[in-house]
């Protein structure tokens, strides 16, 4: 497998399989939402299960933001996307009282437009383009979306 394809597949694994699976597990009551903030333990898991993973954990940043007394957002800045549909950013909105959450991404489309998407229960949904593709505008979108839910 060529290096670029391997890197794409490894980024995809973390962005579109691992984090959505954690969200599904939280929503099913199988794990606590704090697993979303435990990136150091993710590294250990991946080292054991996926030797040779080219995902560079040093290129990924994450932070938890308190929205109000009942909700937080766990935000991720991923390594630079090398092609579509890889994500630049991800965010999980967590309702603490309901122990429920939803995962969103800002992903590069085939026509180089940055789209907001979601991944949950192994299905993908698009919400349209993000006009100002920055982590700040994305997080505002995520919080605004959930302030009405």
């Amino acid at each position: 497998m060529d290096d670029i394809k391997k890197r794409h597949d490894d980024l995809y694994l973390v962005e579109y399989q691992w984090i959505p699976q954690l969200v599904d597990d939280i929503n099913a009551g199988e794990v606590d939402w704090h697993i979303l903030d435990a990136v150091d333990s993710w590294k250990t898991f991946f080292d054991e299960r996926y030797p040779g993973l080219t995902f560079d954990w040093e290129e990924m940043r994450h932070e938890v933001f308190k929205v109000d007394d009942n909700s937080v957002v766990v935000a991720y800045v991923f390594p630079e996307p090398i092609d579509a549909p890889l994500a630049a950013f991800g965010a999980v909105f967590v309702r603490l009282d309901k122990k429920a959450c939803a995962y969103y991404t800002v992903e590069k489309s085939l026509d180089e437009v940055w789209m907001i998407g979601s991944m949950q229960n192994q299905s993908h949904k698009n919400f349209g383009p993000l006009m100002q593709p920055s982590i700040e505008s994305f997080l505002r979108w995520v919080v605004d979306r959930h302030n009405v839910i």
Side-chain angles (χ1 to χ4, degrees), residues 41-78:
S41 69
W42 300 4
K43 296 174 194 177
T44 303
F45 174 87
F46 277 93
D47 286 346
E48 293 171 0
R49 299 277 192 324
Y50 300 96
L53 185 76
T54 59
F55 189 90
D56 185 351
W57 296 99
E58 298 304 315
E59 290 183 56
M60 180 177 149
R61 296 186 331 265
H62 77 286
E63 191 168 343
V64 177
F65 297 96
K66 182 178 178 179
V67 176
D68 56 36
D69 289 342
N70 198 35
S71 52
V72 297
V73 172
V74 184
Y76 304 96
V77 177
F78 296 120

Short mmCIF file of all heavy atoms in Angstrom, two decimals, residues 41-78:
data_model
loop_
_atom_site.label_atom_id
_atom_site.label_comp_id
_atom_site.label_asym_id
_atom_site.label_seq_id
_atom_site.Cartn_x
_atom_site.Cartn_y
_atom_site.Cartn_z
N SER A 41 -5.05 7.60 26.31
CA SER A 41 -5.39 6.17 26.36
C SER A 41 -5.71 5.64 24.96
O SER A 41 -5.52 4.46 24.70
CB SER A 41 -6.55 5.92 27.32
OG SER A 41 -7.75 6.45 26.81
N TRP A 42 -6.19 6.50 24.08
CA TRP A 42 -6.43 6.08 22.70
C TRP A 42 -5.11 5.62 22.07
O TRP A 42 -5.07 4.63 21.36
CB TRP A 42 -6.99 7.20 21.85
CG TRP A 42 -8.28 7.80 22.26
CD1 TRP A 42 -9.05 7.52 23.36
CD2 TRP A 42 -8.97 8.81 21.55
NE1 TRP A 42 -10.16 8.31 23.37
CE2 TRP A 42 -10.15 9.10 22.28
CE3 TRP A 42 -8.72 9.50 20.38
CZ2 TRP A 42 -11.07 10.05 21.85
CZ3 TRP A 42 -9.63 10.45 19.95
CH2 TRP A 42 -10.79 10.72 20.68
N LYS A 43 -4.05 6.40 22.32
CA LYS A 43 -2.74 6.07 21.74
C LYS A 43 -2.32 4.67 22.13
O LYS A 43 -1.86 3.89 21.29
CB LYS A 43 -1.69 7.07 22.21
CG LYS A 43 -1.91 8.49 21.76
CD LYS A 43 -0.88 9.40 22.41
CE LYS A 43 -1.26 10.83 22.28
NZ LYS A 43 -0.32 11.73 22.95
N THR A 44 -2.47 4.33 23.39
CA THR A 44 -2.10 3.00 23.88
C THR A 44 -2.93 1.93 23.19
O THR A 44 -2.40 0.92 22.72
CB THR A 44 -2.29 2.92 25.41
OG1 THR A 44 -1.51 3.94 26.02
CG2 THR A 44 -1.88 1.57 25.94
N PHE A 45 -4.23 2.14 23.10
CA PHE A 45 -5.12 1.19 22.43
C PHE A 45 -4.69 0.98 20.99
O PHE A 45 -4.58 -0.16 20.53
CB PHE A 45 -6.57 1.71 22.49
CG PHE A 45 -7.53 0.86 21.71
CD1 PHE A 45 -8.13 -0.24 22.29
CD2 PHE A 45 -7.84 1.18 20.39
CE1 PHE A 45 -9.02 -1.02 21.57
CE2 PHE A 45 -8.72 0.40 19.66
CZ PHE A 45 -9.33 -0.70 20.26
N PHE A 46 -4.46 2.07 20.27
CA PHE A 46 -4.08 1.96 18.85
C PHE A 46 -2.71 1.31 18.68
O PHE A 46 -2.51 0.53 17.75
CB PHE A 46 -4.13 3.32 18.17
CG PHE A 46 -5.51 3.70 17.71
CD1 PHE A 46 -6.33 4.45 18.53
CD2 PHE A 46 -5.99 3.29 16.48
CE1 PHE A 46 -7.62 4.79 18.12
CE2 PHE A 46 -7.27 3.62 16.06
CZ PHE A 46 -8.09 4.37 16.89
N ASP A 47 -1.77 1.63 19.56
CA ASP A 47 -0.44 1.00 19.49
C ASP A 47 -0.55 -0.51 19.63
O ASP A 47 0.16 -1.25 18.94
CB ASP A 47 0.49 1.55 20.57
CG ASP A 47 0.99 2.95 20.25
OD1 ASP A 47 0.83 3.40 19.09
OD2 ASP A 47 1.53 3.60 21.17
N GLU A 48 -1.45 -0.95 20.51
CA GLU A 48 -1.62 -2.40 20.74
C GLU A 48 -2.40 -3.07 19.61
O GLU A 48 -2.07 -4.16 19.19
CB GLU A 48 -2.33 -2.65 22.07
CG GLU A 48 -1.51 -2.26 23.28
CD GLU A 48 -2.30 -2.30 24.57
OE1 GLU A 48 -3.52 -2.63 24.55
OE2 GLU A 48 -1.71 -1.98 25.61
N ARG A 49 -3.46 -2.41 19.14
CA ARG A 49 -4.36 -3.04 18.16
C ARG A 49 -3.98 -2.79 16.71
O ARG A 49 -4.33 -3.58 15.84
CB ARG A 49 -5.80 -2.55 18.37
CG ARG A 49 -6.40 -2.86 19.70
CD ARG A 49 -6.97 -4.24 19.74
NE ARG A 49 -7.80 -4.64 20.82
CZ ARG A 49 -7.76 -4.34 22.10
NH1 ARG A 49 -6.89 -3.49 22.53
NH2 ARG A 49 -8.57 -4.85 22.98
N TYR A 50 -3.35 -1.67 16.45
CA TYR A 50 -3.03 -1.28 15.08
C TYR A 50 -1.55 -0.90 14.95
O TYR A 50 -1.22 0.26 14.69
CB TYR A 50 -3.90 -0.09 14.63
CG TYR A 50 -5.37 -0.37 14.66
CD1 TYR A 50 -6.15 -0.01 15.76
CD2 TYR A 50 -5.99 -1.00 13.59
CE1 TYR A 50 -7.51 -0.27 15.79
CE2 TYR A 50 -7.36 -1.25 13.61
CZ TYR A 50 -8.11 -0.89 14.71
OH TYR A 50 -9.45 -1.15 14.73
N PRO A 51 -0.65 -1.86 15.12
CA PRO A 51 0.77 -1.52 14.98
C PRO A 51 1.03 -1.01 13.56
O PRO A 51 0.45 -1.50 12.59
CB PRO A 51 1.48 -2.84 15.26
CG PRO A 51 0.45 -3.90 15.16
CD PRO A 51 -0.89 -3.26 15.36
N GLY A 52 1.84 0.01 13.47
CA GLY A 52 2.14 0.59 12.16
C GLY A 52 1.19 1.70 11.75
O GLY A 52 1.28 2.22 10.63
N LEU A 53 0.29 2.09 12.64
CA LEU A 53 -0.62 3.19 12.34
C LEU A 53 0.18 4.45 12.07
O LEU A 53 1.07 4.80 12.85
CB LEU A 53 -1.56 3.42 13.53
CG LEU A 53 -2.66 4.46 13.35
CD1 LEU A 53 -3.78 3.88 12.48
CD2 LEU A 53 -3.22 4.86 14.70
N THR A 54 -0.11 5.14 10.97
CA THR A 54 0.64 6.34 10.61
C THR A 54 0.00 7.62 11.13
O THR A 54 0.46 8.70 10.83
CB THR A 54 0.79 6.46 9.08
OG1 THR A 54 -0.51 6.51 8.48
CG2 THR A 54 1.58 5.29 8.52
N PHE A 55 -1.06 7.49 11.93
CA PHE A 55 -1.69 8.67 12.53
C PHE A 55 -0.71 9.28 13.51
O PHE A 55 -0.25 8.62 14.43
CB PHE A 55 -2.98 8.27 13.24
CG PHE A 55 -3.79 9.44 13.70
CD1 PHE A 55 -4.76 9.99 12.89
CD2 PHE A 55 -3.59 10.00 14.95
CE1 PHE A 55 -5.51 11.07 13.30
CE2 PHE A 55 -4.32 11.09 15.37
CZ PHE A 55 -5.30 11.62 14.54
N ASP A 56 -0.38 10.55 13.32
CA ASP A 56 0.57 11.23 14.20
C ASP A 56 -0.21 11.95 15.31
O ASP A 56 -0.80 13.01 15.08
CB ASP A 56 1.42 12.21 13.39
CG ASP A 56 2.51 12.86 14.23
OD1 ASP A 56 2.52 12.68 15.46
OD2 ASP A 56 3.36 13.53 13.63
N TRP A 57 -0.20 11.36 16.49
CA TRP A 57 -0.96 11.90 17.61
C TRP A 57 -0.48 13.29 18.01
O TRP A 57 -1.24 14.07 18.59
CB TRP A 57 -0.90 10.95 18.80
CG TRP A 57 -1.55 9.64 18.49
CD1 TRP A 57 -0.94 8.48 18.12
CD2 TRP A 57 -2.95 9.37 18.46
NE1 TRP A 57 -1.87 7.50 17.88
CE2 TRP A 57 -3.11 8.02 18.09
CE3 TRP A 57 -4.08 10.13 18.73
CZ2 TRP A 57 -4.37 7.42 17.96
CZ3 TRP A 57 -5.33 9.54 18.62
CH2 TRP A 57 -5.45 8.20 18.24
N GLU A 58 0.77 13.61 17.71
CA GLU A 58 1.30 14.94 18.05
C GLU A 58 0.69 16.02 17.16
O GLU A 58 0.73 17.20 17.51
CB GLU A 58 2.83 14.95 17.91
CG GLU A 58 3.53 13.97 18.85
CD GLU A 58 3.18 14.20 20.31
OE1 GLU A 58 3.16 15.35 20.75
OE2 GLU A 58 2.90 13.20 21.00
N GLU A 59 0.11 15.64 16.03
CA GLU A 59 -0.53 16.60 15.13
C GLU A 59 -1.99 16.86 15.49
O GLU A 59 -2.63 17.71 14.90
CB GLU A 59 -0.48 16.09 13.69
CG GLU A 59 0.88 16.07 13.06
CD GLU A 59 0.81 15.61 11.63
OE1 GLU A 59 0.07 16.24 10.84
OE2 GLU A 59 1.49 14.63 11.30
N MET A 60 -2.53 16.11 16.44
CA MET A 60 -3.93 16.26 16.83
C MET A 60 -4.01 16.98 18.17
O MET A 60 -3.28 16.67 19.09
CB MET A 60 -4.58 14.88 16.96
CG MET A 60 -6.03 14.95 17.37
SD MET A 60 -6.72 13.29 17.41
CE MET A 60 -7.92 13.50 18.70
N ARG A 61 -4.91 17.96 18.22
CA ARG A 61 -5.16 18.66 19.48
C ARG A 61 -6.62 18.46 19.86
O ARG A 61 -7.48 18.26 18.99
CB ARG A 61 -4.87 20.15 19.30
CG ARG A 61 -3.42 20.46 18.98
CD ARG A 61 -3.09 21.94 18.96
NE ARG A 61 -4.14 22.86 18.61
CZ ARG A 61 -4.36 23.34 17.38
NH1 ARG A 61 -3.61 22.96 16.37
NH2 ARG A 61 -5.31 24.21 17.16
N HIS A 62 -6.88 18.52 21.15
CA HIS A 62 -8.27 18.44 21.59
C HIS A 62 -8.43 19.26 22.87
O HIS A 62 -7.47 19.52 23.59
CB HIS A 62 -8.69 16.98 21.82
CG HIS A 62 -8.18 16.39 23.08
ND1 HIS A 62 -6.87 16.03 23.25
CD2 HIS A 62 -8.80 16.11 24.25
CE1 HIS A 62 -6.70 15.54 24.46
NE2 HIS A 62 -7.86 15.58 25.09
N GLU A 63 -9.67 19.68 23.09
CA GLU A 63 -9.98 20.47 24.28
C GLU A 63 -11.46 20.33 24.60
O GLU A 63 -12.29 20.19 23.69
CB GLU A 63 -9.63 21.94 24.03
CG GLU A 63 -9.68 22.79 25.27
CD GLU A 63 -9.06 24.17 25.07
OE1 GLU A 63 -8.31 24.37 24.11
OE2 GLU A 63 -9.35 25.04 25.90
N VAL A 64 -11.78 20.37 25.89
CA VAL A 64 -13.17 20.32 26.34
C VAL A 64 -13.60 21.73 26.72
O VAL A 64 -12.89 22.43 27.45
CB VAL A 64 -13.32 19.38 27.56
CG1 VAL A 64 -14.76 19.38 28.06
CG2 VAL A 64 -12.86 17.97 27.21
N PHE A 65 -14.75 22.14 26.20
CA PHE A 65 -15.31 23.46 26.49
C PHE A 65 -16.66 23.28 27.19
O PHE A 65 -17.52 22.54 26.71
CB PHE A 65 -15.54 24.26 25.21
CG PHE A 65 -14.29 24.56 24.45
CD1 PHE A 65 -13.89 23.75 23.40
CD2 PHE A 65 -13.50 25.65 24.80
CE1 PHE A 65 -12.74 24.03 22.68
CE2 PHE A 65 -12.34 25.93 24.09
CZ PHE A 65 -11.96 25.11 23.04
N LYS A 66 -16.83 23.97 28.31
CA LYS A 66 -18.12 23.96 29.00
C LYS A 66 -19.04 24.94 28.29
O LYS A 66 -18.71 26.11 28.13
CB LYS A 66 -17.94 24.35 30.47
CG LYS A 66 -19.21 24.32 31.25
CD LYS A 66 -18.98 24.67 32.71
CE LYS A 66 -20.28 24.67 33.46
NZ LYS A 66 -20.09 25.00 34.88
N VAL A 67 -20.19 24.46 27.87
CA VAL A 67 -21.18 25.31 27.20
C VAL A 67 -22.10 25.93 28.25
O VAL A 67 -22.36 27.12 28.24
CB VAL A 67 -21.99 24.51 26.15
CG1 VAL A 67 -23.07 25.38 25.53
CG2 VAL A 67 -21.07 23.93 25.10
N ASP A 68 -22.60 25.09 29.14
CA ASP A 68 -23.44 25.52 30.26
C ASP A 68 -23.37 24.44 31.33
O ASP A 68 -22.55 23.52 31.21
CB ASP A 68 -24.88 25.81 29.81
CG ASP A 68 -25.55 24.64 29.12
OD1 ASP A 68 -25.30 23.47 29.52
OD2 ASP A 68 -26.33 24.86 28.18
N ASP A 69 -24.21 24.53 32.36
CA ASP A 69 -24.14 23.56 33.45
C ASP A 69 -24.49 22.14 33.01
O ASP A 69 -24.22 21.18 33.73
CB ASP A 69 -25.07 23.97 34.59
CG ASP A 69 -24.54 25.18 35.34
OD1 ASP A 69 -23.34 25.48 35.21
OD2 ASP A 69 -25.34 25.83 36.05
N ASN A 70 -25.09 22.01 31.84
CA ASN A 70 -25.57 20.72 31.40
C ASN A 70 -24.96 20.21 30.10
O ASN A 70 -25.39 19.19 29.58
CB ASN A 70 -27.09 20.78 31.26
CG ASN A 70 -27.70 19.42 31.23
OD1 ASN A 70 -27.23 18.50 31.89
ND2 ASN A 70 -28.73 19.27 30.43
N SER A 71 -23.98 20.92 29.55
CA SER A 71 -23.41 20.47 28.29
C SER A 71 -21.97 20.94 28.11
O SER A 71 -21.57 21.98 28.62
CB SER A 71 -24.27 20.92 27.11
OG SER A 71 -24.52 22.30 27.15
N VAL A 72 -21.24 20.11 27.39
CA VAL A 72 -19.85 20.41 27.01
C VAL A 72 -19.67 20.06 25.55
O VAL A 72 -20.45 19.30 24.96
CB VAL A 72 -18.82 19.62 27.86
CG1 VAL A 72 -18.90 20.00 29.32
CG2 VAL A 72 -18.95 18.13 27.66
N VAL A 73 -18.62 20.63 24.97
CA VAL A 73 -18.19 20.26 23.62
C VAL A 73 -16.74 19.81 23.72
O VAL A 73 -15.91 20.50 24.32
CB VAL A 73 -18.30 21.45 22.64
CG1 VAL A 73 -17.66 21.11 21.30
CG2 VAL A 73 -19.74 21.86 22.44
N VAL A 74 -16.48 18.64 23.16
CA VAL A 74 -15.11 18.17 23.05
C VAL A 74 -14.71 18.43 21.61
O VAL A 74 -15.30 17.90 20.67
CB VAL A 74 -14.99 16.67 23.37
CG1 VAL A 74 -13.52 16.24 23.33
CG2 VAL A 74 -15.60 16.35 24.73
N ALA A 75 -13.71 19.32 21.43
CA ALA A 75 -13.29 19.74 20.10
C ALA A 75 -11.95 19.09 19.74
O ALA A 75 -11.08 18.94 20.60
CB ALA A 75 -13.15 21.26 20.06
N TYR A 76 -11.83 18.74 18.46
CA TYR A 76 -10.60 18.12 17.95
C TYR A 76 -10.12 18.90 16.73
O TYR A 76 -10.91 19.27 15.87
CB TYR A 76 -10.86 16.68 17.50
CG TYR A 76 -11.43 15.80 18.58
CD1 TYR A 76 -12.80 15.59 18.66
CD2 TYR A 76 -10.61 15.20 19.52
CE1 TYR A 76 -13.34 14.79 19.66
CE2 TYR A 76 -11.14 14.39 20.52
CZ TYR A 76 -12.51 14.20 20.59
OH TYR A 76 -13.03 13.42 21.57
N VAL A 77 -8.82 19.14 16.69
CA VAL A 77 -8.17 19.64 15.49
C VAL A 77 -7.31 18.48 14.99
O VAL A 77 -6.39 18.03 15.69
CB VAL A 77 -7.30 20.89 15.77
CG1 VAL A 77 -6.58 21.33 14.51
CG2 VAL A 77 -8.16 22.02 16.33
N PHE A 78 -7.67 17.97 13.83
CA PHE A 78 -7.00 16.80 13.28
C PHE A 78 -5.76 17.18 12.46
O PHE A 78 -5.62 18.34 12.07
CB PHE A 78 -7.96 16.01 12.39
CG PHE A 78 -9.14 15.45 13.12
CD1 PHE A 78 -10.43 15.82 12.77
CD2 PHE A 78 -8.98 14.55 14.16
CE1 PHE A 78 -11.53 15.29 13.45
CE2 PHE A 78 -10.06 14.02 14.84
CZ PHE A 78 -11.34 14.39 14.48
#
